[in-house]
Amino acid sequence: MLSKNITISENGTLEFAGYNTVELAQKYSTPLYLMDEEMIRERIRVYKKALEDFFPSGSVPEYASKAFSCKRIYEIAREEGINVDVVSPGELYTAYKAGFPMEKCFYHGNSKSCQDIEFAIQKGIGCFVVDNVSELSLIDNISKSYGVIQRVILRVTPGIDPHTHKKISTGSVESKFGIPIDNGDAVEATRKALSLKNVSLEGFHCHIGSQIFESEPFVTAAKVMIKFMVKIKNELGFIASTLNLGGGFGVQYTENDPVIDYRAKIEEVAVAVNEICKNENFEVPKILMEPGRSLVADAGMTLYTVNSVKEIKDYRNYVSIDGGMTDNPRYALYESEYTVYNASKASKEADYVATIAGRCCESGDLIQENVMIAKPEENDIIAVATTGAYNYSMASNYNRVARPCVVMLNSEKDYIAVKRETLDDLISLDV
Ligand SMILES: *Cc1c(COP(=O)(O)O)cnc(C)c1O
């Protein structure tokens, strides 16, 4: 099985986090998102402990909540004592309503409006991750009108290509995110930030991409960032206390992906950071990391019911399910790979080649093509693993399909974290 929280029951059906998936599908109906609460907490603790053990005090993970955002996840982040990243008023509001402490909340994004900034300041946002110079001025002006000195860090682009998918690579000079170091813009932006009265600059941020399996791109980025911080110290006399290395450690979607030991990878980054700082005679800054996917992806599984099986002789076998790109658009967007199980027949041999097709009126609405599963029949339950990140948070109502509910699982109980949308929810905004 792909992950330790996926097992097979005595009656041959698939179990997730110790729960029988076929029974959960009956109880809550399908499509259904499952989240393994204990796996999420375990992952958070691995990051938190590693950052505490290997970096100076104050180093802490920030959960990049765009990966999976609902009130419950911010409650878990609060209970575990980590920071969170938000990128919109919607994510911020969800965190706020969940009672997440706003001073531990970081506001990201390359396109923040006046209203967004004002809303965040009203709610007492901890820190803005500033993407560009016009945003910097805007934050300064709005902070002034509220009589606050706003903490900020500057997002810069170290010019690194982490060898990942183009759409999820973000650290190159021409990226829409951040201010380039390469051409001197980042020094000028820092000069500007230091001259403003209502912002207080704490340090620098970079995020090089996603689904990165090695420590090497982080080490390369850290080297560029620390050299930049040394330059800032020498030229502007400003010593940054914080370096945010972004998110992006990968997860195992299929058996072909490597399994990552996050603690070991963070230690490798720490060894390199200490070495670089020593060589540059620069005090090791507080290190922040922003995992999204690697905190929640393999804590998730999606269950579907098979509506029909269509065998097109000599071509392919379509297994059509009751969900699709509306609950998981990632295959349609990036041809992302997933591991699929016939949860009803998990102990049977996976010898049937299936294309898992969604219900939408789009040929591209597929969950996966030509995967091996046990031969399915109508009403079997299909399970797709590792769907905890960028599934529910990317879900849509295309074709007016209602979004599934999210059920959390822990050792004591299964409970609804997000309710299933109803048909009346779908028309609730129509006038
Ligand atoms: C998306 C994103 C992350 C999280 O990336 P993962 O691959 O999910 O870990 C972290 N930081 C920033 C700025 C991001 O945009």
Side-chain angles (χ1 to χ4, degrees), residues 43 46-47 50 54 213-215 249-250 258-268:
R43 291 274 186 273
V46 166
Y47 268 96
F54 302 132
F213 289 99
E214 296 302 329
S215 55
F249 270 127
V259 183
I260 292 205
D261 177 342
Y262 298 103
R263 183 179 169 84
K265 294 291 167 197
I266 292 168
E267 185 171 18
E268 285 169 26

Side-chain angles (χ1 to χ4, degrees), residues 41 44 48 60-65 68-86 90-107 120 123-127 151 295:
R41 291 182 187 274
I44 292 175
K48 187 159 184 271
V60 64
E62 285 169 23
Y63 168 55
S65 68
F68 174 70
S69 175
C70 67
K71 281 163 73 177
R72 184 64 189 139
I73 197 75
Y74 296 107
E75 288 171 4
I76 292 172
R78 184 196 69 213
E79 286 163 14
E80 296 295 332
I82 60 167
N83 297 347
V84 301
D85 288 351
V86 297
E91 287 179 1
L92 177 76
Y93 188 65
T94 310
Y96 175 77
K97 289 301 245 184
F100 189 84
M102 286 292 110
E103 70 275 8
K104 295 173 107 179
C105 196
F106 286 63
Y107 198 124
K123 289 283 178 273
I125 189 81
C127 189
R151 289 162 55 209
L295 293 185

Side-chain angles (χ1 to χ4, degrees), residues 64 66-67 85 108 155 205 207 209-211 246-249 290-294 390:
K66 70 179 197 267
D85 288 351
H108 276 262
R155 177 165 184 172
H205 169 280
H207 171 71
S210 265
Q211 209 38 5
F249 270 127
E290 299 170 329
R293 187 190 312 271
S294 54
Y390 306 112

